[in-house]
Amino acid sequence: MPHVVTQACCGDASCVYACPVNCIHPTPEEPGFGTSEMLYIDPSTCVDCGACVSACPVGAIVPGHRLTDEQARFTDVNAAHFDPTGDGATRFPVDPARRLPLAPIDKPHQLAVDSPVSVAIVGSGPSAMYAADELLRQPQISVTIYERLRRPFGLARYGVAPDHLSTRSVMRLFDDIAGNPRCDIRLGMTIGRDLTLDDLRERHSAVIWAGGAPTDRRLAIDNASAPGVHSATALVGWYNDHPDHDHLDIDLATPRAVVIGNGNVALDVARILTTDAESLADTSISRHALSALRSSAIDEVVVLGRRGPTHAAFTLPELIGLVDHGANVVVDPDDLAHAPVPAADDATTRAKIDLLAEVAARTPRRGRRIRLAFHRSPVGVDVDTDGRAAGVVVAHNTVDLTGAITPTGTTDTIDAGLVLTSIGYRGIAVPGLPFDDARGVIPHSAGRVVDDGVPVPGMYVTGWIKRGPSGFIGTNKTDSAETVASLLTDLEAGLLPEHGRPRRRRILSRLG
Ligand SMILES: Cc1cc2nc3c(=O)[nH]c(=O)nc-3n(C[C@H](O)[C@H](O)[C@H](O)COP(=O)(O)OP(=O)(O)OC[C@H]3O[C@@H](n4cnc5c(N)ncnc54)[C@H](O)[C@@H]3O)c2cc1C
Ligand SMILES: NC(=O)c1ccc[n+]([C@@H]2O[C@H](COP(=O)([O-])OP(=O)(O)OC[C@H]3O[C@@H](n4cnc5c(N)ncnc54)[C@H](OP(=O)(O)O)[C@@H]3O)[C@@H](O)[C@H]2O)c1
Ligand code: SF4
Ligand code: SF4
């Protein structure tokens, strides 16, 4: 039986390069790689060699005959990517004429530079670790990673949910990278406080900023700062032992919580708040969160989407993971009745709606539940006489196939003593570097930091602070590969500054 990619996929494409018959798609060279919710194995060409299994850093690939009940649905998810209409006629998106007999061989470029080169990386999240890995393939290069926290790996440690054990195991790969003798990792060093960016530029030939998008987007509605309203960023940090959030004063003595936004972070938060606390006891969850969850009074978590199921921000693999791992999920059939029908070849959205319809048709179980609610925009937080959150006022919408929202004019209030905003993350400006305030990113061209269109010598950027807060852990691998390729090109061209002094600044300014 062919091998199958399951929901733990973090999209780093390591399997693509391991597969001898090129049956895992989309590859980084193909359209759709950056936006694909996971990678898929073509069951008609997989020869069951197992090479991809050992290449995968998170154990996401399973031989067909070893799939658990919770993973079984992924057989169809993989197959539907190549045959979305199910008639065997459409081979999408792989054109057989362009199918290579062998996967591309990733041969490292040998640098035409003899002298030792030192590169600083700010941050130790996935983008930093993938950049370090790529740089360390060159024997002349040594890397120093500066991380503000006392424990490394950014959101791989402090974001990924504690019950997602296989995804968290990517930290073993990062540990291996950090263990390279040419990699020095300095924890508890905040650049901008303990050392300045200029200090780094004095000490290293190049600096890659990989500081992530550490804050959350703010919701501009009435009473958004009332007690009882928190950001998902804070709650995730609280349950993952992030030192900035371990003192979060969160009150779980309320029967209902509302999570505003329905991305994968919202699903994580809803799942952690409704999972039996004892089943989390053996995970990395913080002791303070475990203790609070043990005495939680929460019965229902409402995950609020302003648009409909067709445009839900959560991904199909995460929805399958939620439903098939036994979460008590509730969907109102009315929400599906009004969902625009996705295109015939949009296998992912169709499967998402089919699964939501399957859930909506079930008789709800007793006990703690997650209610996926759609077509409702938050317009304010209702407060009680003490000024604490008591509910969320929502305006009902209709949504067309393009995703455009039209309010129906109806509003109501969902009672809730805990309100969590999960509407995305946001990067913050770095003193001394240009910043695109509208997008919350550092402007760049192929990873070179640019100021008014002109590259800043020796300064590079990668990860969420480069492309914005979206994508999986593995998305940062291709992102960092692009940045490192630009850095190596500049190095070979003699364009990197030496101890802060650019060698050929005018030539650099011509690079795009
Ligand atoms: C809650 C949550 C859960 C997620 N779960 C998953 C998942 O299950 N699977 C998946 O594939 N993807 C998941 N993701 C997405 C994934 O975590 C991101 O794609 C990835 O972490 C982005 O990497 P990054 O290196 O850009 O940023 P980060 O991981 O945020 O790393 C940035 C690092 O820079 C450090 N830093 C910042 N400023 C400074 C400074 N001035 N000096 C020194 N250090 C600094 C920070 O402390 C941090 O360690 C999740 C994201 C979130 C928010
Ligand atoms: N397991 C995993 O693989 C995993 C886990 C966690 C995170 N991640 C990744 O990390 C990234 C960030 O995830 P995320 O959940 O923070 O962000 P996200 O996927 O961008 O979702 C943000 C949600 O907030 C909603 N929203 C935005 N502004 C709003 C407003 N003003 N009012 C109401 N709703 C609003 C969005 O609705 P609209 O769609 O209508 O704009 C969307 O539902 C994603 O790429 C995600 O896939 C992956
Ligand atoms: S089992 Fe072998 S042929 Fe099948 S996807 Fe994995 S590497 Fe490719
Ligand atoms: S996590 Fe990486 S190696 Fe594993 S299945 Fe996904 S893309 Fe392939």
Side-chain angles (χ1 to χ4, degrees):
M1 279 180 84
H3 282 50
V4 176
V5 181
T6 68
Q7 96 280 356
C9 179
C10 72
D12 72 344
S14 299
C15 53
V16 168
Y17 300 102
C19 178
V21 293
N22 195 19
C23 66
I24 309 177
H25 296 272
T27 69
E29 296 78 19
E30 288 172 347
F33 174 75
T35 50
S36 182
E37 295 195 348
M38 55 184 272
L39 266 65
Y40 309 87
I41 292 176
D42 182 351
S44 67
T45 51
C46 171
V47 295
D48 258 342
C49 69
C52 52
V53 176
S54 40
C56 177
V58 296
I61 303 182
V62 181
H65 64 277
R66 291 223 199 107
L67 287 170
T68 62
D69 288 350
E70 291 83 18
Q71 293 167 329
R73 221 184 274 270
F74 282 95
T75 305
D76 289 346
V77 170
N78 279 249
H81 179 75
F82 301 92
D83 183 12
T85 50
D87 57 9
T90 323
R91 307 294 305 167
F92 171 87
V94 185
D95 173 359
R98 289 182 53 228
R99 181 188 286 276
L100 300 171
L102 292 173
I105 294 170
D106 191 18
K107 195 171 167 207
H109 167 77
Q110 292 306 311
L111 264 191
V113 171
D114 294 329
S115 47
V117 178
S118 162
V119 178
I121 302 180
V122 181
S124 68
S127 66
M129 299 317 295
Y130 286 125
D133 195 28
E134 193 68 22
L135 286 164
L136 291 165
R137 294 164 73 156
Q138 306 296 337
Q140 307 90 321
I141 298 186
S142 60
V143 169
T144 307
I145 294 173
Y146 297 90
E147 166 57 54
R148 89 175 176 91
L149 299 175
R150 302 223 162 259
R151 302 185 75 198
F153 311 146
L155 288 169
R157 182 186 303 280
Y158 293 113
V160 175
D163 56 341
H164 277 176
L165 299 175
S166 57
T167 307
R168 293 182 68 87
S169 69
V170 75
M171 285 192 277
R172 275 191 236 133
L173 170 73
F174 298 157
D175 257 331
D176 280 352
I177 297 167
N180 185 308
R182 284 180 287 116
C183 182
D184 183 10
I185 181 157
R186 302 196 183 169
L187 301 173
M189 292 283 278
T190 301
I191 302 310
R193 190 193 66 192
D194 303 316
L195 284 176
T196 64
L197 197 52
D198 282 346
D199 291 334
L200 296 193
R201 301 179 76 190
E202 281 289 314
R203 295 171 190 196
H204 304 276
S205 301
V207 179
I208 301 180
W209 195 275
T215 57
D216 46 285
R217 292 183 59 222
R218 295 296 152 110
L219 192 61
I221 59 173
D222 287 346
N223 298 320
S225 315
V229 183
H230 303 275
S231 68
T233 317
L235 188 92
V236 167
W238 174 74
Y239 65 59
N240 272 335
D241 240 342
H242 192 299
D244 291 355
H245 301 292
D246 55 3
H247 297 302
L248 184 71
D249 181 17
I250 186 146
D251 185 0
L252 303 181
T254 173
R256 187 182 290 121
V258 170
V259 184
I260 296 173
N262 66 7
N264 284 337
V265 173
L267 289 198
D268 278 351
V269 162
R271 195 181 63 255
I272 294 296
L273 287 177
T274 51
T275 298
D276 172 25
E278 292 321 313
S279 70
L280 296 171
D282 288 337
T283 70
S284 59
I285 192 165
S286 64
R287 296 300 101 179
H288 48 258
L290 185 63
S291 148
L293 289 169
R294 279 185 167 134
S295 52
S296 164
I298 290 177
D299 259 347
E300 178 171 274
V301 176
V302 179
V303 176
L304 201 66
R306 57 181 170 179
R307 299 190 287 167
T310 315
H311 301 95
F314 53 73
T315 56
L316 175 63
E318 290 311 303
L319 180 65
I320 293 176
L322 189 71
V323 171
D324 288 351
H325 279 82
N328 190 8
V329 183
V330 179
V331 175
D332 182 348
D334 269 2
D335 271 331
L336 291 159
H338 299 116
V341 179
D345 61 0
D346 185 354
T348 304
T349 310
R350 292 178 83 88
K352 218 187 256 185
I353 291 181
D354 287 350
L355 180 52
L356 290 169
E358 189 184 313
V359 171
R362 290 179 187 167
T363 309
R365 300 201 311 262
R366 292 168 66 85
R368 277 189 181 157
R369 64 202 158 270
I370 297 172
R371 183 176 296 281
L372 300 179
F374 298 94
H375 300 123
R376 288 167 175 81
S377 291
V379 290
V381 172
D382 220 11
V383 291
D384 62 17
T385 48
D386 294 331
R388 285 192 64 85
V392 180
V393 184
V394 294
H396 292 229
N397 305 314
T398 58
V399 180
D400 67 19
L401 194 52
T402 68
I405 289 174
T406 309
T408 63
T410 305
T411 58
D412 63 36
T413 301
I414 305 171
D415 294 339
L418 176 63
V419 179
L420 297 158
T421 58
S422 181
I423 63 167
Y425 284 65
R426 191 179 152 75
I428 50 178
V430 175
L433 290 182
F435 192 64
D436 176 344
D437 196 45
R439 296 185 54 226
V441 295
I442 295 174
H444 74 97
S445 171
R448 297 176 178 97
V449 173
V450 291
D451 197 0
D452 272 338
V454 178
V456 179
M459 269 309 313
Y460 301 84
V461 64
T462 186
W464 274 17
I465 191 64
K466 172 186 175 188
R467 64 176 196 279
S470 71
F472 308 107
I473 289 171
T475 317
N476 300 290
K477 184 171 172 166
T478 34
D479 194 4
S480 292
E482 178 193 60
T483 295
V484 169
S486 295
L487 188 157
L488 297 183
T489 302
D490 295 350
L491 174 62
E492 282 189 315
L495 302 176
L496 292 189
E498 232 172 332
H499 302 293
R501 286 192 304 277
R503 287 188 213 153
R504 290 159 64 186
R505 185 189 289 265
R506 267 177 295 144
I507 295 177
L508 189 64
S509 70
R510 291 210 305 268
L511 289 173

